[in-house]
Amino acid sequence: MPDLGPYWLEVLASYIVSLVILAGLVALIWRRSARVHRDLSKLEARSRAAPRTGEHGNG
Amino acid sequence: MSLWEYANPKKFMDTTGPLVPWVAGAAAVAMATGLIWGFFLTPDDFRQGSTVRIVFIHVPAAMMAINIWVMMLVTSLVWLIRRHHVSALAAKAAAPIGLAMTVIALITGGLWGQPMWGTWWVWDPRLTSFLVLCLFYIGYIALWQAIEDPDTAADLTAVLCLVGSVFALMSRYAVFFWSQGLHQGASLSVQAGERMAADYRYPLYLCMVAFGLLFVALVLVGTRTEIRARRMKALEARARMTQGLT
């Protein structure tokens, strides 16, 4: 750890706050991406199954 | 091959899918190397002391905050002129990243300003235009959330983006227009030659590349998510219609 002298608080706070904001941003974007991907996969599977069900039902 | 081919959502998804892990990996490596180099391996500045280390976050974040708005301006214009949905969704995906960069630049700027200028904040042209840019980012995101119809939302946010571009450009060039501000001129300038010692310049270049790569990775993931979300809405609407017909 370098000796940050009298400004240690400002320097450390800059790095910590920025890294927390960046980590939060990455987590939010990643989580939403995973959720939407999962929901879309389920929906696509259901919509692929739906016409077959319809054919059986109508037949 | 034309660039416009990537306006096709399927082509965009197929092309960007394999790219994302590489860009994200490169961003992580560059970010870790740049910040470790900047924080641990650079000497104190004779005037700024250890606060010079804040530059490795502040400058790339401020640069990205402005560049992201310019990218949003370009994609908004593409939407308004050519009506490519991917471009509107890319602008939407870029906005939260731009907001995060603006907030980081404002906070680190204040943390640097207190010991160096003796104040956290001053109504200097560059700082003020940056604060207005931050408010434009918030307004842009809020406008997307507030309007249900995605095409209307894309139209209105594109117009807001055009208006906000004045402040993005002002943030960039304010230090050249007005000389009464506290904020110093550009740290790195091609015209004025290098004003920064190599000890600081190289880690700063690396951090700038890292922030750029991080943005590219996040905007690709975000745009892919928006495309999927739009497809989901279309499938749900189709399912509702089918249910309504049967």
Side-chain angles (χ1 to χ4, degrees):
Chain A
M1 183 77 173
D3 177 19
L4 299 174
Y7 308 127
W8 65 273
L9 186 61
E10 286 85 354
V11 178
L12 279 183
S14 292
Y15 275 76
I16 291 168
V17 169
S18 302
L19 291 176
V20 166
I21 292 173
L22 288 179
L25 179 73
V26 170
L28 278 177
I29 291 175
W30 199 264
R31 229 177 56 177
R32 179 158 185 264
S33 164
R35 198 187 62 228
V36 170
H37 195 176
R38 194 184 54 231
D39 291 352
L40 179 63
S41 300
K42 276 186 201 165
L43 202 62
E44 280 180 332
R46 217 183 307 155
S47 68
R48 271 197 300 270
R52 283 200 297 275
T53 315
E55 280 162 23
H56 288 302
N58 292 335
Chain B
M1 191 176 11
S2 162
L3 183 69
W4 300 115
E5 283 184 30
Y6 296 98
N8 177 324
K10 187 175 178 339
K11 176 87 179 165
F12 180 86
M13 295 296 275
D14 290 347
T15 313
T16 56
L19 271 180
V20 170
W22 290 102
V23 182
V29 170
M31 186 72 79
T33 313
L35 291 182
I36 289 170
W37 187 357
F39 187 84
F40 291 99
L41 305 174
T42 53
D44 284 3
D45 180 67
F46 78 101
R47 213 179 286 160
Q48 300 179 44
S50 62
T51 61
V52 72
R53 290 175 173 85
I54 297 175
V55 86
F56 303 115
I57 293 178
H58 177 74
V59 171
M63 181 193 79
M64 288 313 298
I66 298 169
N67 289 349
I68 290 171
W69 193 274
V70 173
M71 172 263 177
M72 286 163 58
L73 170 68
V74 172
T75 51
S76 296
L77 285 173
V78 171
W79 163 254
L80 287 175
I81 296 164
R82 299 194 64 141
R83 312 302 283 181
H84 289 316
H85 286 100
V86 173
S87 62
L89 296 178
K92 184 185 180 187
I97 313 167
L99 176 63
M101 295 295 175
T102 313
V103 170
I104 289 173
L106 285 170
I107 293 174
T108 53
L111 286 164
W112 181 87
Q114 171 57 26
M116 291 300 109
W117 294 342
T119 179
W120 301 101
W121 180 264
V122 64
W123 295 100
D124 161 286
R126 178 171 263 191
L127 274 68
T128 307
S129 56
F130 230 86
L131 180 65
V132 175
L133 181 64
C134 183
L135 298 176
F136 263 97
Y137 269 119
I138 294 170
Y140 182 92
I141 294 166
L143 196 54
W144 263 110
Q145 303 296 325
I147 300 167
E148 202 168 323
D149 178 54
D151 284 3
T152 311
D155 284 340
L156 293 179
T157 52
V159 173
L160 182 70
C161 191
L162 291 178
V163 178
S165 299
V166 175
F167 291 93
L169 293 174
M170 208 185 276
S171 309
R172 172 72 183 83
Y173 295 107
V175 284
F176 304 120
F177 295 153
W178 292 283
S179 54
Q180 76 269 32
L182 252 185
H183 200 287
Q184 68 272 32
S187 305
L188 301 167
S189 166
V190 176
Q191 290 89 2
E194 300 299 354
R195 291 174 178 166
M196 189 179 267
D199 281 352
Y200 305 117
R201 202 166 62 234
Y202 294 122
L204 179 57
Y205 284 150
L206 185 57
C207 287
M208 287 160 84
V209 170
F211 273 68
L213 286 170
L214 178 69
F215 166 68
V216 173
L218 291 179
V219 85
L220 285 179
V221 173
T223 309
R224 289 169 63 79
T225 305
E226 294 299 336
I227 290 172
R228 285 190 177 121
R230 187 169 273 214
R231 167 139 176 84
M232 212 158 74
K233 271 188 183 169
L235 283 176
E236 282 168 352
R238 197 192 297 168
R240 274 198 301 274
M241 245 174 61
T242 316
Q243 280 168 2
L245 288 174
T246 53

